[in-house]
């Protein structure tokens, strides 16, 4: 453990003007407050915050950040209050300590809720000052180094999984690859002990068999570059056990089949030298096709810059080589921390600003703990591709991203209004997967709104969160509108007109906060008609709340969107003009059936409500069963009838085939039942059609 003077000397070595008094006060205060507390290892608890501070001095962080590291557990694990930290160490340190402090006392029903609430607070603090993230990562790294001292196996695995799912990806997203690699290796050792032991054993055997192979290859690479006038520092290493195991699992190959276990970094003076060195290496050794990546011209989203290549070395093995300048190397090792030294003077680096803002939008849009954890993990832990706007602006997206993901990455409003897309100048469906290097143009319309079906193919957390939020708001708005229509009909059944304060009194009796909540409860049948009547006018349900007065008139669903406040039944496919009823089940959308639907005849466990389309309602999806003669042109004749009648085919399925006839099931977009009957009449009159009926 670092002593007080040693810690101060470390900070002063890179920042002679550091606030020594602040560091001294923090050291003494933390030691006093933690007192005789012990860690699972038996060491004084105080040793942990000091080790975290020591990790951060290696990154040359400012005195406020080091003091925060020393104090970061005092509020959670001692009697210290936030007010005391503020009084003793000032507002800046107090704000940082509060950001790092976990919400240990929050009351949550599930572990996911607790984790999500901690993550929510942590990300909010990170958006305000990125140093919160740096302290938290150092804290987690030291905890992982001492994880093996915890006797509870389940607790060790939970911490390791959280590290693998949240903290290692966080470190990667801000370019702190050394932190990421060590955290992943330590978590891998805990989560997959047998796999870890197997990989490390094979690495040890490889190292013994090859002798000084890494040093020999590295020295040869340095000489090759030097002979071409390029001075380089060459560093060689075996790949990390988790990286090797992950590659073996993804490619379904054995350790022996891995051909690039060793990686080398050549650190050269500047970017021009990187490209010169690349030419020298490719002239000396054959390049492995498909393995070259230029992160200098197109940096990763976390600011990472390097050239990556793989070659067949003269020792008949593949090696990976990274070429970078000294400045790029510092950023690659320590990522954002390399931009945040004491010289920054409090100015926040802008490297991860877009990524942080995306996470903040996810925080705003996520409604449940599971959603928040799902979306942040999606945002942090996926392989990336590069795509460009027509103006050449670069965006990084996860593999499998679609134009909808791209639109939301550019701006939420663009995603909300997307109606189509062009990829490399060609119009494509919105579900098309974008490839690396594609140019994407989003076609938009003010009349468009996010579609629930987009959730079936979007892959970014930001897009998924924004779509879900919009759909939730629309569902609530339409549920309130439908509930108000049902409410108006319920009021008509009351034996007397309502008094002026009747609704307010009813809200009190039902323990609901406002009118909108009442309307939503009515629409989703969490309140029955009888309960509403009794709340509005006690005794009006006739004393039998199970059988209130019957509905007097049908409730119009005009202006509401199918699939939001109500669903159209798939068994009978009702369209405007059909007489319809709704089936209401508790806390579910109303399901609309045609009155002659066989499902209704068989009896259902649900409340019935008489519905009407409303005057002028237009548009629905009908389903037809059409039997065509097995002759050339029959399918074209059927499609021609649909086209002439301006009816759009939504789905076409061949259901049965025999020698003389083919049976098709067709989902057809029509205006109303009269439009549908006209189409059926034309089908039945066609020579190519043997039979046509509504399903």
């Amino acid at each position: 453990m670092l002593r007080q003077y040693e810690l101060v000397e470390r900070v002063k070595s890179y920042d002679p003007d550091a606030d020594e008094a602040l560091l001294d006060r923090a050291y003494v205060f933390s030691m006093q407050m933690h007192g005789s507390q012990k860690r699972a290892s038996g060491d004084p608890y105080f040793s942990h915050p000091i080790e975290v501070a020591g990790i951060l001095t290696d990154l040359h962080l400012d005195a406020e950040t080091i003091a925060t590291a020393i104090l970061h557990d005092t509020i959670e694990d001692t009697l210290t209050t936030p007010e005391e930290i503020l009084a003793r160490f000032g507002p800046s340190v107090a704000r940082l300590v509060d950001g790092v402090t976990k919400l240990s006392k929050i009351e949550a029903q599930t572990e996911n809720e607790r984790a999500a609430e901690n993550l929510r607070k942590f990300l909010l603090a990170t958006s305000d000052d990125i140093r919160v993230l740096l302290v938290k990562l150092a804290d987690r790294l030291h905890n992982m180094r001492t994880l093996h001292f915890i006797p509870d196996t389940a607790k060790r695995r939970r911490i390791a999984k959280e590290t693998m799912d949240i903290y290692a990806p966080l470190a990667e997203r801000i370019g702190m690859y050394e932190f990421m690699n060590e955290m992943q290796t330590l978590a891998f050792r805990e989560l997959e002990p047998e796999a870890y032991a197997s990989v490390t054993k094979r690495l040890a055997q490889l190292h013994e068999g090859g002798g000084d192979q890494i040093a020999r290859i590295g020295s040869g690479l340095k000489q090759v570059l030097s002979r071409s006038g390029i001075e380089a520092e060459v560093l060689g290493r075996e790949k990390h056990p988790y990286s090797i195991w992950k590659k073996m699992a993804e490619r379904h190959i054995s350790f022996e089949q891995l051909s690039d276990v060793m990686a080398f970094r050549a650190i050269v003076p500047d970017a021009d030298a990187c490209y010169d060195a690349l030419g020298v290496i490719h002239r000396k050794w054959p390049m492995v096709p498909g393995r070259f990546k230029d992160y200098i011209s197109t940096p990763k989203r976390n600011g990472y810059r390097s050239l990556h290549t793989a070659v067949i070395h003269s020792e008949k093995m593949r090696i990976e080589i990274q070429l970078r300048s000294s400045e790029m190397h510092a950023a690659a090792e320590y990522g954002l921390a390399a931009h945040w030294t004491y010289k920054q003077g409090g100015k926040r680096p802008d490297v991860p600003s877009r990524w942080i803002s995306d996470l903040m939008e996810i925080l705003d849009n996520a409604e449940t703990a599971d959603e928040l954890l799902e979306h942040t993990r999606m945002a942090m832990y996926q392989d990336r591709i590069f795509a460009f706007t027509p103006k050449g602006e670069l965006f990084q997206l996860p593999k499998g991203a679609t134009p909808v993901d791209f639109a939301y990455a550019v701006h939420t409003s663009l995603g909300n209004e997307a109606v189509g897309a062009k990829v490399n100048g060609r119009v494509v469906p919105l579900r098309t997967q974008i490839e690396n290097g594609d140019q994407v143009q989003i076609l938009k319309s003010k009349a468009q709104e996010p579609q629930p079906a987009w959730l079936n193919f979007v892959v970014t957390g930001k897009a998924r969160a924004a779509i879900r939020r919009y759909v939730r708001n629309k569902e609530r708005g339409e549920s309130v509108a439908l509930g108000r229509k049902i409410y108006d009909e319920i009021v008509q059944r009351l034996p007397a007109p309502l008094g002026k304060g009747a609704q307010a009194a009813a809200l009190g009796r039902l323990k609901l906060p406002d009118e909108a909540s009442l309307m939503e409860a009515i629409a989703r049948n969490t309140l029955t008609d009888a309960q509403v009547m009794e709340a509005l006018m006690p005794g009006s349900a006739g004393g039998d709340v199970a059988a209130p007065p019957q509905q007097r008139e049908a409730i119009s669903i005009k202006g509401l969107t199918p699939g939001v406040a109500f669903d159209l039944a798939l068994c009978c496919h009702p369209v405007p003009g059909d007489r319809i009823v709704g089936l209401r089940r508790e806390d579910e959308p109303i399901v609309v059936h045609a009155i002659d639907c066989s499902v209704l005849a068989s009896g259902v466990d649900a409340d019935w409500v008489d519905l009407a389309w409303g005057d002028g309602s237009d548009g629905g999806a009908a389903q037809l069963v059409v039997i065509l003669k097995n002759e050339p042109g029959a399918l074209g004749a059927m499609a021609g009838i649909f086209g002439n009648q301006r009816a759009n085919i939504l789905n076409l399925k061949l259901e049965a085939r025999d020698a003389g006839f083919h049976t098709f099931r067709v989902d057809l977009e029509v205006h109303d039942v009269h439009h549908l009957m006209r189409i059926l009449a034309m089908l039945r009159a066609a020579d190519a059609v043997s039979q046509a009926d509504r399903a």
Side-chain angles (χ1 to χ4, degrees), residues 50-63:
I50 297 306
E51 290 299 328
V52 173
I55 291 171
L56 294 175
T57 60
D58 292 336
L59 305 182
H60 290 191
L61 294 180
D62 62 298

Side-chain angles (χ1 to χ4, degrees), residues 327-379:
E327 183 182 348
M328 295 175 197
H329 182 63
E333 293 295 290
Y334 302 115
L336 182 66
H339 297 263
W340 189 284
T341 67
Y342 64 93
K343 295 176 183 177
Q344 288 288 333
K347 180 184 176 183
R348 192 174 85 184
D350 61 1
V351 174
S353 58
R354 178 177 289 161
W355 174 69
I356 291 291
S357 67
D358 285 354
L359 285 182
M360 294 308 299
E361 196 156 338
I362 288 171
L363 284 180
D364 292 339
N365 291 345
E367 187 172 71
T368 66
D370 290 336
E371 266 191 39
L372 176 58
L373 293 175
E374 173 198 351
H375 295 163
T376 49
R377 285 168 182 165
M378 288 173 69

Side-chain angles (χ1 to χ4, degrees), residues 134-420:
L134 302 181
V135 175
K136 191 63 181 175
L137 291 176
D139 171 46
R140 178 51 61 119
L141 179 59
H142 185 255
N143 281 332
M144 288 303 297
R145 289 174 178 175
T146 57
L147 184 67
H148 58 284
F149 289 113
I150 297 176
D152 186 345
T153 303
K155 184 177 181 181
R156 288 200 311 270
R157 290 183 63 81
R158 178 181 61 77
I159 293 171
K161 188 173 189 312
E162 187 179 64
T163 300
M164 191 71 87
D165 287 349
I166 299 293
Y167 292 99
L170 277 169
E172 190 273 336
R173 279 294 169 258
I174 62 170
M176 298 182 70
Y177 289 99
E178 288 302 307
F179 275 44
M180 178 197 74
N181 286 327
E182 187 174 353
M183 279 194 263
Q184 284 180 336
T185 298
L186 294 169
F188 175 48
R189 183 174 68 184
E190 181 61 42
L191 296 172
E192 302 285 348
E194 293 182 1
Y196 174 83
S198 174
V199 172
T200 51
K201 181 180 178 182
R202 301 308 301 271
L203 284 173
Q205 292 172 347
L206 182 69
H207 187 68
E208 291 170 5
D212 60 349
Q213 191 176 43
I214 291 178
R216 186 170 63 250
I217 293 174
S219 176
L221 177 58
K222 183 181 176 81
Q223 289 176 17
V224 167
L225 294 175
S226 181
R227 283 197 293 268
S228 297
I230 302 171
E231 291 304 316
E233 178 187 359
V234 178
L235 308 172
R237 62 170 177 82
E238 293 162 346
K239 289 196 170 180
H240 295 276
Y242 175 71
S243 174
I244 292 173
W245 178 79
K246 185 180 177 185
K247 189 171 290 187
M248 289 166 59
E250 287 176 348
R251 298 183 184 177
H252 304 288
I253 57 177
S254 65
F255 186 90
E256 288 76 14
Q257 292 173 295
L258 282 175
S259 51
D260 53 352
V261 175
M262 287 184 286
F264 295 85
R265 294 169 182 161
I267 303 169
V268 297
D270 52 36
D272 289 343
C274 291
Y275 290 101
D276 292 341
L278 179 71
V280 171
I281 290 168
H282 283 182
R283 286 195 298 271
K284 174 68 176 177
W285 297 294
M287 170 196 167
V288 179
R291 295 297 303 275
F292 171 66
K293 294 175 183 175
D294 186 345
Y295 293 121
I296 294 179
S297 65
T298 53
K300 289 187 177 182
R301 199 172 191 181
N302 55 27
Y304 176 87
R305 299 171 70 221
S306 287
L307 298 179
H308 288 200
T309 189
V311 298
I312 307 294
H313 191 261
S314 51
E315 299 200 16
K316 303 302 179 187
M317 63 184 300
R318 287 204 309 189
I319 62 170
E320 184 180 290
I321 302 172
Q322 299 168 0
L323 301 164
R324 57 178 69 148
S325 68
S326 300
E327 183 182 348
M328 295 175 197
H329 182 63
E333 293 295 290
Y334 302 115
L336 182 66
H339 297 263
W340 189 284
T341 67
Y342 64 93
K343 295 176 183 177
Q344 288 288 333
K347 180 184 176 183
R348 192 174 85 184
D350 61 1
V351 174
S353 58
R354 178 177 289 161
W355 174 69
I356 291 291
S357 67
D358 285 354
L359 285 182
M360 294 308 299
E361 196 156 338
I362 288 171
L363 284 180
D364 292 339
N365 291 345
E367 187 172 71
T368 66
D370 290 336
E371 266 191 39
L372 176 58
L373 293 175
E374 173 198 351
H375 295 163
T376 49
R377 285 168 182 165
M378 288 173 69
M380 292 188 295
Y381 207 48
Q382 291 174 309
D383 293 334
R384 316 300 280 185
I385 62 168
F386 296 96
F388 298 85
T389 67
K391 293 182 179 179
E393 187 179 359
L394 176 67
F395 286 87
Q396 284 192 54
L397 296 163
K399 285 184 178 178
T402 65
V404 176
D405 295 295
F406 182 88
Y408 278 106
V410 175
H411 199 279
T412 302
S413 63
L414 182 62
N416 289 342
E417 297 173 3
V419 293

